[in-house]
Amino acid sequence: MNYASTPLSVTINIDEIRSHFPSLHQKVNGYPLVYFDNGATSQKPDVVIEAVTQFYSQQNSNVHRGVHTLSQKATDLFEEARITVQKFINAKSSNEIIFTKGTTDSINLISSCIAHAPLLWRGEGGEVLISTMEHHSNIVPWQMLCEETGALLKVIPINDQGEIIWEEYLKLLSNKTKIVAITHVSNTLGTINPIKKMIDEAHKKNIPVLIDGAQAVPHMKVNVQDLDADFYCFSAHKMVGPTGIGILYGKEKWLNAMPPYQGGGSMIKSVSFEKTTYNDLPYKFEAGTPHIEGVLGLAKAIEFINGIGIENIQEYEHELLAYATKHLLEIEGLKIIGTAKEKASVISFVIEGIHAFDIGTLLDQMGIAVRTGHHCTQPLHERFNISSTVRASFAFYNTFSEIDRLVDGLKRIKKMI
Ligand code: PMP
């Protein structure tokens, strides 16, 4: 069934875009694939796949190490990629762009190093402030830091719509708060947090703020200088780039104030058995051989996104979200978890009487990929008194007719069970 004509304001050439994603043109269990698990990882366009292949077939060599031509070529491409990332999020300097394994690694870098930087972590004890809707990656590293330092983990509560309770946030911010670590967009609820306002409030008390941007950067314009974020973390694989590569953005003054995360090659200026001196930023935080092809693929992913325009992506995905929300709610017994006013293109839901796992399995048999479970947000699910949800998360290559297939599939499942 086709529920509606395509909304008018769509500014995206969807067929052209989809033609660049080879993985989207396959059948799964006999049906054309509908991929709605973009929150977990996105599919990759041909330009990203080619960049990775081309590195291994033509430029393969280590970076920052050799005088030979291939190594210099690889180093040039690698450092150009850093500038591409810098411009994409409007960082002041490329020294503030650290290549990591991903969001998780970026957060762990900060949680491991911050307590060793007296400029950032003053005195004993204190508190780390996170929110109820954090991904496990933005909970567990802080719990580990609290165990090590004796700091307390404090949690900002959310309302039934899945929004931060502003007054509670203000109450929890105090001269004990050492850092606020908050997600920009919830991977389960889709809530877009008012992080600019939150950063402003924290800065009034000289508290640094780390933003988990894993679900934001692929879907909206992020400008770290405008936000005045102290640290901003994201992963390439959720924004049509390769796996195993991500970014830690940090203000230069804070990155300079912290000791290195790991020791090894590249992060040093000189080594002797008596004394080692560390390299300048960004290399101080990039020990060992990096994920070179991942970095080159990430640069191509950003170019691809820039080619479409992140504002166009945001607008189109917003329409997908509105369309899906409207039609999913027509299904009797379906409840959406996460109804914030400001939402990105993620819908988590439950259907009365049917387990999320069964829904996911039956949808898969119809060629529709969704995520089921707690999506690495167990405490958030506890907040809503549920153990699991079904999550459909959309990307700019998804279509309205794919949403129709999801809605039809769910109606069939309701009849079956
Ligand atoms: N934070 C959020 C909000 C996420 O959605 C994810 C990935 N699901 C992560 C952190 C962790 O990202 P990665 O696995 O790429 O390190």
Side-chain angles (χ1 to χ4, degrees), residues 39-40 102-105 107 135 137 183 185-187 212 214-215 235 237-238:
T103 309
T104 307
D105 194 34
I107 298 171
H135 187 281
S137 296
T183 194
V185 172
S186 160
N187 64 311
D212 170 352
Q215 299 291 344
S235 304
H237 70 95
K238 294 184 197 288

Side-chain angles (χ1 to χ4, degrees), residues 45-205:
D46 45 16
V47 284
V48 169
I49 300 165
E50 278 156 23
V52 173
T53 316
Q54 203 178 356
F55 173 71
Y56 283 124
S57 57
Q58 284 169 40
Q59 301 129 358
N60 182 50
S61 55
N62 215 326
V63 289
H64 305 134
R65 308 233 171 135
V67 288
H68 63 84
T69 305
L70 284 192
S71 176
Q72 284 184 358
K73 256 191 205 164
T75 305
D76 287 349
L77 288 170
F78 188 83
E79 290 307 324
E80 280 164 24
R82 199 188 301 275
I83 291 166
T84 303
V85 176
Q86 178 205 344
K87 289 187 180 149
F88 187 57
I89 60 168
N90 194 33
K92 203 186 259 177
S93 156
S94 60
N95 289 344
E96 298 174 320
I97 304 297
I98 312 292
F99 290 121
T100 65
K101 285 190 286 179
T103 309
T104 307
D105 194 34
S106 300
I107 298 171
N108 274 276
L109 189 162
I110 297 301
S111 68
S112 301
C113 298
I114 194 167
H116 303 286
L119 201 63
L120 273 158
W121 194 269
R122 295 176 213 99
E124 303 284 297
E127 294 173 356
V128 172
L129 189 53
I130 61 171
S131 85
T132 310
M133 70 178 89
E134 298 312 314
H135 187 281
H136 296 167
S137 296
N138 201 28
I139 302 174
V140 186
W142 302 113
Q143 283 174 324
M144 291 161 70
L145 174 65
C146 287
E147 260 175 44
E148 192 189 310
T149 60
L152 285 177
L153 191 72
K154 293 278 175 174
V155 183
I156 314 161
I158 56 171
N159 62 22
D160 291 343
Q161 288 70 51
E163 295 161 324
I164 294 278
I165 303 176
W166 186 249
E167 303 72 42
E168 297 296 327
Y169 172 57
L170 296 184
K171 266 193 242 162
L172 282 164
L173 273 183
S174 78
N175 55 11
K176 288 193 217 138
T177 315
K178 293 276 213 273
I179 186 164
V180 175
I182 182 95
T183 194
H184 195 163
V185 172
S186 160
N187 64 311
T188 298
L189 305 168
T191 309
I192 304 173
N193 282 317
I195 58 160
K196 189 169 160 63
K197 258 172 65 182
M198 294 181 80
I199 293 170
D200 278 354
E201 289 298 332
H203 284 176
K204 284 181 193 163
K205 295 190 160 72

